[in-house]
Structures are given as structure tokens and as C-alpha cells.
């Protein structure tokens, strides 16, 4: 897998999201698979608040927390073979 990560920083309202979408559209128009992640969403640069659990192990973990299973599901995104669970 050959991937690239482009990160954009700046002050609130400075156009970071607009620039990110323009960059993504540029690469999509050239046939590349592109993902845009915004701050606070499930994304690789924000893993301090996310548990990355191998997808195969996720059901066994859920069994241990049956009373809050639905809440865990609400805060979970499946991506690239992992359950990414936001816990903050």
C-alpha cells in the first residue's frame, strides 16, 4: 500500500476545510482514492481518543460490556480491518 497523508493546520475560520476539500477533489479527479477527516472525527491523527481494536477481536470485547453495547456501537467506526472506538 502506498499512501500519503496531508495535514492542514490553521486558525478557526481560516479555510482549512475548504482547502482540504479542494485538495481531495484534485486528487479524486486524477482517479485516486481520497479520504478527508476533520478535527474531532475518527481519523488517524486523532487516535489519542480512539481505541483501535482488530475487527476479529471486537465481538469478544463487546460481550464483556453487554449493558453498554449499543453505546459502544454508536461511537465505533469500522475501517481497514479495525474497530475504531472513540472513548472520550
Amino acid at each position: 500500500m502506498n499512501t500519503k497523508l496531508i495535514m492542514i493546520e490553521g486558525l478557526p475560520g481560516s479555510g482549512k476545510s475548504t482547502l482540504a476539500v479542494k485538495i481531495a477533489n484534485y486528487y479524486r479527479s486524477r482517479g485516486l482514492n481520497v479520504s478527508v477527516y476533520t478535527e474531532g472525527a475518527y481519523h488517524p491523527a486523532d487516535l489519542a481518543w480512539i481505541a483501535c481494536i482488530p475487527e476479529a477481536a471486537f465481538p469478544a470485547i463487546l460481550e464483556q460490556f453487554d449493558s453498554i453495547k449499543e453505546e459502544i456501537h454508536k461511537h465505533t467506526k469500522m475501517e481497514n480491518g479495525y474497530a475504531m472506538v472513540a472513548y472520550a
Side-chain angles (χ1 to χ4, degrees), residues 35-52:
S35 297
V36 175
Y37 300 98
T38 58
E39 186 174 356
Y42 298 102
H43 61 87
D46 198 21
L47 294 180
W49 307 106
I50 297 176
C52 295

Side-chain angles (χ1 to χ4, degrees), residues 58-72:
F58 190 55
I61 291 172
L62 279 180
E63 287 178 19
Q64 298 174 44
F65 300 98
D66 193 54
S67 65
I68 59 170
K69 185 186 320 186
E70 294 307 314
E71 188 70 19
I72 293 171

Side-chain angles (χ1 to χ4, degrees), residues 25-41:
N25 289 338
Y26 171 83
Y27 285 111
R28 284 185 187 119
S29 73
R30 281 148 183 78
L32 296 174
N33 183 19
V34 178
S35 297
V36 175
Y37 300 98
T38 58
E39 186 174 356

Side-chain angles (χ1 to χ4, degrees), residues 12-32:
S14 64
K16 299 176 299 294
S17 296
T18 301
L19 178 60
V21 168
K22 288 182 181 205
I23 291 170
N25 289 338
Y26 171 83
Y27 285 111
R28 284 185 187 119
S29 73
R30 281 148 183 78
L32 296 174

